[in-house]
Amino acid sequence: PQPPAMTGKAAPPATDPAPGGPKKEPAPSPGEEPAPAPGAEEAPSPEHPPAAEQPPAPTDESSPAPTAEETPTPAEGPPAPEPEPEKPKAEPPSSPLSLAVEEVGENSVKLTWKPPEQTGRAVLDGYVVEICKDGSTDWKAVNEEPFLSTRYTIKGLSPGEKIHVRVKAVTAHGASVPTTLEQPVLIQEILQLPKIRMPRHLRQTYFRHVGDAVNIMIPFLGKPQPEVIWTKNGQPLDTSRVNTRNSQKDTIFFIREAQRGDSGKYELSVRINGAEDKAVLDIQVIEPPGPPQNLKLVDVWAFNVALEWSPPADNGNSDIKGYLVQKSDKKSGKWFTVLDRCTRTSCTISDLIIGNSYSFRVFAENGCGMSEQAAVTGVAEIKKTKISYQVEKLPQHELMEPPKFTQPLTDRSTTRGYSTHLICCVRGFPQPKIIWLKNQMEIREDPKYIAMIEQGICSLEIRKPGPFDGGVYTCKAVNPLGEASVNCRLDVK
């Protein structure tokens, strides 16, 4: 039998479910999300399939949450990314260079300049030209957009107006420090740009001696009348030493008595309303150098001498070009030049005469001339080289014999200044005495002549003969048994 129908009466209202039965959630209001049912994680609701039929949740079974012990340390995991290096700060470009006025018109100014040395890490976008009226600090740009040309003409200016001009370089990182003209520009037409006509001999270093007068005229061009400015090393001239006088076409620079302190670079500037031309006058005032220092004899051997010295302490404000070396024979006392303009500080002197004594001196030379004093050495003696040998002893013959020449003198011709020898051979017993004569006059002790006899060979050395040394030379041999003589003629050319 069917149970009585109690569904309509016994059924509880929808909003109040029976205890123990499945609860129905109230309908969510608009804009709210339904709250999860309590215990949904522990037991599935009847409306859902069993947990076995559902796909496993990756976070519950396949990837369980790691505990504190299982958490990997940073060393076990992947390496942390390295921090990126800090990028260098962007810097604006450096200032433009050599800003100058190329031309001034009735209502315009033409400018030129050079690019900056550095533009930073960005490409140069261009330049901005700004002007400011004289007496004001209000700078205004005359170009709306930067431009890349290094030449620009400012137009629309008023005649008689004075303006200051500056230029900036611009990149993506900013603008440079502006380059400003040193002088304001007067808006007035320049009929002829300033131009200095530097003489050719003044384009190089101009040398003068101490005490000399300096008088230089330098012409120039320019209309209207240009302004002439002289400076030395960027400073005004010392009018107690240097004077200038300017005219419409030239400027005169003069010093009454030049001193070494007047040496330097003098800058000449000719200006017309901001347009300018410059020139440099390089003056060097020099004087003779001091003597060389520490001159000494390093070595003496055979007929040679070695010398050494040091440069002078004062070069006279000019480079040393060389040294003059001289020698003096103690017998004559006269000085003779052996080396002219020696570029080293040492030398070797040869062809000295054995048996004589010599002194040496050295002068220094620069662009002004020789030093007034010289460094002098002590006396160097050229000694003879000793040769030891044994003479074979021969029995003497009792045969007496008057002198007889077995080899006569022969006529000779020599050149002035070159030493020459006259040679003949004689025999006789006892050994004859040899007498030399020139033009029938006996030659006595004279340093110019050196007479020697060895084993019957007679020689006469004539040192550096001159024209007066020519003539007839006679060699006479005399012993108790008689005498003999031979003649010859010597010509000196």
Side-chain angles (χ1 to χ4, degrees):
Q2 295 181 355
M6 299 178 61
T7 58
K9 296 180 180 180
T15 58
D16 189 12
K23 298 181 180 181
K24 293 185 179 180
E25 299 177 0
S29 61
E32 294 182 2
E33 293 183 359
E41 296 180 359
E42 291 130 6
S45 65
E47 298 177 359
H48 295 80
E53 298 178 2
Q54 292 182 352
T59 57
D60 296 341
E61 296 177 8
S62 60
S63 300
T67 62
E69 296 178 357
E70 297 174 353
T71 303
T73 61
E76 297 176 356
E82 296 182 0
E84 296 183 0
E86 294 184 3
K87 295 183 179 179
K89 295 181 180 180
E91 295 182 358
S94 59
S95 304
L97 305 174
S98 305
L99 176 61
V101 175
E102 188 177 47
E103 186 177 347
V104 179
E106 291 184 355
N107 54 7
S108 64
V109 176
K110 184 180 290 186
L111 306 171
T112 60
W113 61 89
K114 294 181 180 179
E117 293 182 351
Q118 299 178 356
T119 59
R121 301 174 65 87
V123 179
L124 184 67
D125 292 337
Y127 304 95
V128 175
V129 180
E130 297 179 340
I131 62 172
C132 172
K133 292 185 178 180
D134 190 27
S136 172
T137 58
D138 185 15
W139 289 92
K140 296 181 180 179
V142 295
N143 56 310
E144 297 179 357
E145 297 291 336
F147 58 91
L148 291 173
S149 175
T150 57
R151 193 183 297 263
Y152 188 80
T153 302
I154 306 174
K155 299 181 180 179
L157 302 174
S158 302
E161 184 179 10
K162 263 189 177 183
I163 62 170
H164 295 268
V165 183
R166 70 185 187 185
V167 179
K168 297 179 181 178
V170 180
T171 65
H173 298 321
S176 68
V177 176
T179 299
T180 309
L181 280 176
E182 296 180 1
Q183 301 292 331
V185 182
L186 176 63
I187 306 307
Q188 175 183 339
E189 184 177 7
I190 300 178
L191 301 177
Q192 187 178 31
L193 290 174
K195 178 67 176 178
I196 299 173
R197 302 178 63 185
M198 180 68 75
R200 184 180 298 274
H201 71 282
L202 299 179
R203 297 175 189 174
Q204 301 175 350
T205 303
Y206 183 65
F207 291 94
R208 300 300 293 171
H209 295 175
V210 171
D212 289 354
V214 179
N215 194 346
I216 297 173
M217 183 181 70
I218 302 176
F220 57 80
L221 304 173
K223 290 183 181 180
Q225 178 63 35
E227 178 187 9
V228 179
I229 300 173
W230 281 96
T231 58
K232 180 182 180 183
N233 301 326
Q235 301 296 325
L237 298 182
D238 181 5
T239 54
S240 64
R241 298 286 315 147
V242 182
N243 293 278
T244 60
R245 186 170 65 247
N246 305 321
S247 67
Q248 295 183 352
K249 296 183 179 180
D250 55 49
T251 177
I252 297 176
F253 175 98
F254 60 94
I255 304 173
R256 297 188 183 279
E257 292 185 3
Q259 301 297 327
R260 288 171 63 167
D262 297 325
S263 302
K265 296 182 183 295
Y266 295 83
E267 297 89 13
L268 171 62
S269 176
V270 178
R271 299 174 181 170
I272 303 179
N273 300 339
E276 183 179 26
D277 191 20
K278 293 183 178 181
V280 176
L281 175 62
D282 187 5
I283 298 178
Q284 188 169 351
V285 183
I286 61 177
E287 61 182 342
Q293 296 184 322
N294 305 321
L295 176 62
K296 56 185 178 180
L297 286 164
V298 179
D299 195 8
V300 179
W301 74 100
F303 45 81
N304 306 294
V305 169
L307 303 177
E308 280 186 2
W309 62 89
S310 301
D314 181 13
N315 65 355
N317 202 29
S318 177
D319 294 336
I320 300 297
K321 293 184 176 180
Y323 301 92
L324 176 70
V325 183
Q326 294 183 333
K327 68 177 180 179
S328 173
D329 189 341
K330 190 175 180 181
K331 293 181 179 179
S332 64
K334 296 181 179 180
W335 291 98
F336 298 93
T337 299
V338 292
L339 286 175
D340 186 12
R341 193 167 287 186
C342 174
T343 57
R344 297 178 298 173
T345 56
S346 62
C347 69
T348 300
I349 302 174
S350 303
D351 298 331
L352 301 176
I353 297 175
I354 295 177
N356 287 2
S357 298
Y358 293 90
S359 294
F360 303 90
R361 67 182 182 184
V362 181
F363 293 86
E365 181 182 6
N366 66 359
C368 187
M370 292 288 179
S371 58
E372 296 179 357
Q373 298 179 351
V376 184
T377 67
V379 177
E381 295 184 3
I382 311 302
K383 298 180 179 179
K384 295 182 179 180
T385 304
K386 294 183 179 180
I387 301 176
S388 59
Y389 60 93
Q390 294 289 337
V391 179
E392 183 180 357
K393 293 183 178 180
L394 299 175
Q396 294 185 358
H397 298 280
E398 296 297 332
L399 180 62
M400 306 291 285
E401 183 181 9
K404 180 180 180 182
F405 285 91
T406 58
Q407 178 66 41
L409 293 173
T410 57
D411 293 343
R412 292 183 59 84
S413 179
T414 185
T415 304
R416 176 181 180 178
Y418 289 83
S419 299
T420 186
H421 291 75
L422 303 179
I423 299 175
C424 59
C425 298
V426 65
R427 72 181 184 184
F429 191 84
Q431 181 177 344
K433 177 183 177 182
I434 303 300
I435 302 173
W436 285 94
L437 302 95
K438 173 188 173 185
N439 297 330
Q440 303 303 317
M441 298 292 295
E442 183 178 353
I443 299 175
R444 298 188 179 273
E445 294 181 1
D446 189 339
K448 192 175 189 65
Y449 302 97
I450 299 177
M452 298 182 66
I453 180 171
E454 186 71 23
Q455 299 294 328
I457 301 175
C458 304
S459 66
L460 178 66
E461 179 183 359
I462 307 173
R463 295 174 51 197
K464 297 183 179 180
F468 59 90
D469 292 318
V472 176
Y473 285 83
T474 303
C475 181
K476 181 184 291 186
V478 180
N479 73 0
L481 299 181
E483 66 179 37
S485 61
V486 290
N487 302 323
C488 75
R489 173 171 291 278
L490 176 66
D491 294 329
V492 180
K493 298 182 180 180

